[in-house]
Amino acid sequence: MSAIYNRVALIGLGLIAGSMALAMRRDGLAGEIVGTARSAETRAVAEEIGLCDRVVGTTAEAVQGADLVVLAVPVGAMAAVAAEIGPHLKTGATVTDVGSVKRHVIHSVAPHLPAGVHFIPGHPVAGTEQSGPRSGFAELFQNRWTLLIVDDGSDAQAVARLTALWQAMGANVDTMDAGHHDLALAVTSHAPHLIAYTMVGVADDMQRVTDDEVIKYSAAGFRDFTRIAASDPTMWRDVFLTNKDATLEILGRFTEELFALQRAIRTGDGDRLFDYFTRTRAIRRGIIEAGQDTDAPNFGRGAVKE
Ligand code: NAP
């Protein structure tokens, strides 16, 4: 495939940027990929494993002459990075980001970008619980959604080019506004992560009472929470601090439902429990039918111990 951008700058070299670099290199989607990260250690690893064509020491150097700049740092670090790169961006360049929250990133980044630069915020809805420069893989975005935030002021050509890049990396692309994104992701990602963190925290407290049973019998369901709860602490702290309203709205609804189910258990309302679980089972079927997960029992991990 021919290059979609002549020079791409990756700011931050963790799971997402690393996966983008590998996907772009696999298919020759960028003439040159220049990367930088905050620590010398991450930059050294990126050099060692050949993640980019060039690894440089500063963000200013990285964005020099870049046609596409990708901000792939935690949401809370976006403002500082944008302030650093603003004066060094090429006129006509596109700046995008991969942050999990969109309204806050837009408020943090947009004021630092000069006129003549196209800002198209983005979010690949794909990830794992791993982080760092060694965690990326080229197939991460395959058949996953990337959401681009566009409005009336977005440059159509710049949006089309960025869309083409994500599609070439295997993603399906949707566009929406930032407020809608933040509420939708609070439901599908942010609140579930908080619930997983809480469940693992409760089990950890219990473990002091029940010895190692929490680990021993984890295949009964608990271990699926532990995968989510092993996600990067910096990233998730920033997500909750910056998508506060939407997350609190969903958690409020969650708490009401939890109380209702608690009451059904207390009063022995089996019909209510059965109907509720029947409805939620259908959601899982919908995800499988949409090609967003495997239909193998227990995620294909073999026998289910329950
Ligand atoms: P990651 O693997 O932890 O990598 C983060 C990168 O950002 C590292 O290169 C790190 O540099 C750099 N960084 C961290 N703090 C910084 C700071 N204060 N200033 C400048 N650079 C800093 O993270 P990731 O999973 O790729 O996530 C990157 C972005 O993608 C986040 O905004 C996240 O919300 C979003 N996202 C993540 C996922 C996911 O599942 N992980 C999915 C979709 C979107 P050092 O290594 O030198 O510290």
Side-chain angles (χ1 to χ4, degrees):
M1 204 178 280
S2 61
I4 296 173
Y5 291 96
N6 287 331
R7 184 178 293 170
V8 174
L10 299 174
I11 313 296
L13 292 170
L15 170 72
I16 301 296
S19 299
M20 290 180 76
L22 294 171
M24 286 190 279
R25 299 194 82 173
R26 178 190 59 193
D27 294 328
L29 305 176
E32 186 187 27
I33 302 172
V34 185
T36 191
R38 173 180 56 169
S39 68
E41 191 188 341
T42 295
R43 295 195 299 269
V45 172
E47 288 232 58
E48 182 199 324
I49 63 176
L51 211 51
C52 309
D53 298 306
R54 268 194 302 137
V55 177
V56 297
T58 65
T59 52
E61 208 181 328
V63 304
Q64 231 30 272
D67 306 291
L68 176 69
V69 176
V70 183
L71 309 181
V73 298
V75 171
M78 296 278 182
V81 168
E84 280 172 28
I85 64 169
H88 307 282
L89 293 166
K90 182 171 112 171
T91 303
T94 292
V95 173
T96 190
D97 76 291
V98 295
S100 307
V101 174
K102 295 277 54 96
R103 271 191 318 180
H104 186 274
V105 167
I106 292 167
H107 291 142
S108 310
V109 172
H112 299 289
L113 304 183
V117 165
H118 309 297
F119 179 36
I120 308 167
H123 177 200
V125 186
T128 75
E129 67 282 17
Q130 318 250 304
S131 50
R134 292 186 195 275
S135 61
F137 53 101
E139 299 76 25
L140 177 64
F141 311 112
Q142 200 62 45
N143 201 27
R144 296 286 170 258
W145 286 94
T146 289
L147 306 175
L148 297 181
I149 307 304
V150 297
D151 60 25
D152 294 344
S154 306
D155 182 90
Q157 260 188 322
V159 172
R161 203 161 163 207
L162 187 59
T163 300
L165 176 70
W166 279 109
Q167 287 172 337
M169 291 192 292
N172 308 312
V173 177
D174 236 347
T175 56
M176 61 179 62
D177 70 63
H180 184 81
H181 169 278
D182 288 357
L183 187 61
L185 269 290
V187 178
T188 59
S189 173
H190 306 168
H193 272 79
L194 199 76
I195 293 160
Y197 280 124
T198 314
M199 194 58 234
V200 173
V202 168
D204 184 45
D205 291 341
M206 287 289 294
Q207 195 173 5
R208 293 187 187 123
V209 184
T210 60
D211 253 341
D212 62 352
E213 287 185 334
V214 168
I215 305 291
K216 210 158 105 193
Y217 305 133
S218 64
F222 176 66
R223 71 178 180 191
D224 293 338
F225 281 97
T226 64
R227 187 192 69 75
I228 297 176
S231 300
D232 188 71
T234 304
M235 169 183 160
W236 284 97
R237 177 202 61 196
D238 287 3
V239 166
F240 293 118
L241 293 181
T242 60
N243 197 21
K244 207 181 209 169
D245 294 346
T247 309
L248 290 177
E249 161 71 20
I250 301 307
L251 286 172
R253 290 174 187 231
F254 173 81
T255 314
E256 281 175 25
E257 294 285 289
L258 192 63
F259 278 136
L261 289 180
Q262 224 170 301
R263 187 178 158 73
I265 294 170
R266 194 188 318 283
T267 59
D269 188 350
D271 288 347
R272 186 182 173 100
L273 295 174
F274 186 86
D275 289 349
Y276 204 95
F277 302 158
T278 302
R279 180 154 70 91
T280 56
R281 189 178 219 190
I283 306 261
R284 172 81 193 154
R285 255 185 248 122
I287 291 171
I288 292 163
E289 276 160 26
Q292 294 301 303
D293 206 354
T294 173
D295 62 354
N298 196 24
F299 306 124
R301 289 186 299 214
V304 187
K305 206 169 1 139
E306 200 67 54

